[in-house]
Amino acid sequence: MRERGRSRTARAVVVGGGIGGLAAALAVAGQGHQVLVLERADRFAEIGAGIQLAPNGLHALDRLGLGDAVRETAVRMEALRFMDGVTGEHVASMPLTDGYRRRFGNPYVVVHRAELHGLLLDACRRHRAVELRSGSGVAGYEQDGASATVVLDDGRRVSGDAVIGADGIHSALRGQLVGDGPPVVSGLTVHRAVIEMGRVPEELRSPTVTWWAGPGCHFVHYPIAGGKYLNLAASRDDGATEAFSGVPVTRERVRREFTALGDVPHRLLELGEGWRSWVLVDREPVRDWTDGRVALLGDAAHPMLHYAAQGACQALEDAVLLGSLLGDAAHELPARFEKYNAERRDRTAQIQLLARHSTQLWHPAGPAARARNALLSSLSATELHDRVAWMHGARTFDSADALPGPGPAVRALRRAEA
């Protein structure tokens, strides 16, 4: 970095070794700075199943130098397909092939979460400016006019020019910086399983993300891991009031909770084994997630329900923009962090709210469901693309990619509900 005509390399401490933290490390190191990544767990690893990556996420990965590697292992989706889960009616499909790819400059893909994390981790290990340190839980931070310091759980301190908090929805750094208490319980429970594609009937294998919408519930499935597996996620508006994560659940319970769905989705639900359940949580959008030389990123800054399929994409966008803004101005870090905050907050808040309100599209019953079907089936491929363009078409990842108000997707959902 340049400071009054002199070049100086900054040192950033990234808290959290997930997708967002590793992407931030690469983005910052790519600007010529030193990065230390602290991970609470004993090793750097990622759990979970499928991640959907729209073109905006791939654009971010391209800027990190990993786009080609991700495209090699990912499954390219041909459509987002919306089905009436009760009647079995095909309501609408958004094509994701030639026209979509030309318009947005990249395909829409799905990857296994561990595969994406592994590519980021390998890139960090190869980068001379990135140091990875596991077994380092962080409790909080301190700072003065010249440096920022993270305080580890055992009382040790690690200092740098800046601290980037990518420590997830339960972020200790957010607890100190924002102080907004525990996450918001959504009242929605999702059951997840992965099955070998060889066990899936031929007629149900397709390179699509398919939603089956029912009263107070919906079921989504899509291929992952190069098409070797089918990822299953069944969500229900059950009014849950306490959060839990990864709790085993029986196939019988899953079947019982989705009796409203018809024959085809039930055939897939029956195939699921090793089901686990999560009560979904998020947080309210906040105006500020930076404090001097400390900035939050990804789920620590703007955690969202997974229903917009943008959580990983937004963390990648954060990382790329933050890295580009740091540039060569170590002495201007607080101002650069403030700019990052201002450029990202409207866009991410939009997507947080869209994800939260999306069940208005998927969970209606009776006349409201029929009105929804009529609305969606009336839209052309171009009109469907228009409604996601602000999300999927983003290239700069700054305020130019944000929308004022609730955005067209949320407005369309509210019109359908009315």
Side-chain angles (χ1 to χ4, degrees):
M1 288 187 173
R2 299 185 186 278
E3 187 170 0
R4 297 181 180 179
R6 291 181 293 111
S7 176
R8 184 169 75 84
T9 299
R11 183 179 194 238
V13 180
V14 175
V15 180
I19 288 171
L22 296 180
L26 288 175
V28 173
Q31 296 294 320
H33 310 306
Q34 299 293 316
V35 182
L36 169 64
V37 183
L38 301 177
E39 166 58 34
R40 177 177 296 276
D42 291 335
R43 64 189 183 96
F44 284 79
E46 186 65 273
I47 60 173
I51 293 179
Q52 300 176 50
L53 292 175
N56 56 307
L58 284 173
H59 286 312
L61 288 164
D62 282 332
R63 290 173 61 177
L64 293 174
L66 293 174
D68 288 342
V70 171
R71 282 185 286 269
E72 286 180 7
T73 63
V75 183
R76 297 189 179 205
M77 295 293 98
E78 294 182 358
L80 302 180
R81 187 169 58 171
F82 192 98
M83 310 291 291
D84 187 310
V86 177
T87 67
E89 171 192 0
H90 172 251
V91 177
S93 287
M94 179 190 297
L96 302 175
T97 50
D98 295 343
Y100 176 91
R101 293 169 189 171
R102 283 194 301 272
R103 178 170 180 177
F104 300 126
N106 252 318
Y108 189 110
V109 304
V110 296
V111 296
H112 197 285
R113 182 177 292 272
E115 289 177 340
L116 176 59
H117 184 267
L119 289 171
L120 289 163
L121 183 59
D122 288 345
C124 284
R125 285 173 171 158
R126 292 194 303 269
H127 204 298
R128 292 182 178 180
V130 178
E131 177 186 352
L132 303 171
R133 188 180 301 174
S134 59
S136 301
V138 170
Y141 67 88
E142 303 168 345
Q143 64 179 316
D144 55 32
S147 65
T149 300
V150 293
V151 181
L152 303 186
D153 290 340
D154 61 9
R156 289 178 298 151
R157 284 162 168 75
V158 180
S159 296
D161 296 285
V163 170
I164 300 170
D167 47 343
I169 192 168
H170 299 288
S171 167
L173 298 191
R174 182 187 177 109
Q176 180 176 342
L177 197 158
V178 180
D180 56 349
V184 176
V185 178
S186 68
L188 297 157
T189 299
V190 61
H191 309 296
R192 295 188 175 109
V194 174
I195 56 176
E196 293 181 359
M197 192 63 76
R199 299 180 56 223
V200 178
E202 285 279 354
E203 66 273 18
L204 298 180
R205 303 179 194 178
S206 65
T208 64
V209 179
T210 301
W211 285 268
W212 299 88
C217 67
H218 71 279
F219 170 45
V220 182
H221 55 82
Y222 51 85
I224 59 171
K228 296 179 182 178
Y229 299 95
L230 191 68
N231 190 60
L232 311 179
S235 295
R236 183 165 173 262
D237 189 350
D238 59 1
T241 58
E242 294 186 12
F244 57 77
S245 178
V247 175
V249 61
T250 65
R251 179 191 301 153
E252 289 70 26
R253 178 180 169 186
V254 173
R255 182 175 59 231
R256 185 171 62 250
E257 292 191 357
F258 294 88
T259 55
L261 299 182
D263 176 64
V264 175
H266 264 278
R267 290 169 65 190
L268 290 172
L269 291 172
E270 286 284 352
L271 292 174
E273 295 178 346
W275 287 96
R276 290 184 177 272
S277 298
W278 285 256
V279 169
L280 300 180
V281 296
D282 66 357
R283 291 184 184 274
E284 299 291 340
V286 294
R287 180 175 177 81
D288 297 310
W289 62 65
T290 63
D291 173 22
R293 292 175 174 269
V294 181
L296 304 180
L297 180 148
D299 281 349
H302 43 72
M304 55 190 67
L305 302 183
H306 67 265
Y307 294 142
Q310 279 285 314
C313 290
Q314 292 310 300
L316 292 168
E317 288 188 12
D318 285 350
V320 167
L321 183 66
L322 181 57
S324 68
L325 287 174
L326 291 188
D328 61 352
H331 62 298
E332 297 178 358
L333 274 170
R336 296 303 176 98
F337 277 179
E338 286 182 7
K339 182 171 176 58
Y340 154 74
N341 191 143
E343 296 287 1
R344 293 294 296 160
R345 63 186 170 211
D346 289 347
R347 175 168 172 77
T348 56
Q350 278 286 357
I351 299 174
Q352 283 180 281
L353 295 175
L354 173 63
R356 184 178 284 185
H357 290 295
S358 63
T359 54
Q360 296 175 13
L361 178 67
W362 296 331
H363 291 186
R370 291 191 290 274
R372 171 205 63 204
N373 292 355
L375 169 67
L376 292 178
S377 63
S378 71
L379 299 175
S380 68
T382 299
E383 289 170 325
L384 289 168
H385 293 165
D386 288 344
R387 280 163 168 74
V388 300
W390 67 281
M391 277 195 300
H392 296 186
R395 300 290 185 94
T396 60
F397 312 140
D398 57 18
S399 57
D401 289 320
L403 283 176
V410 174
R411 289 197 296 270
L413 298 182
R414 292 174 180 173
R415 285 197 299 271
E417 186 180 45

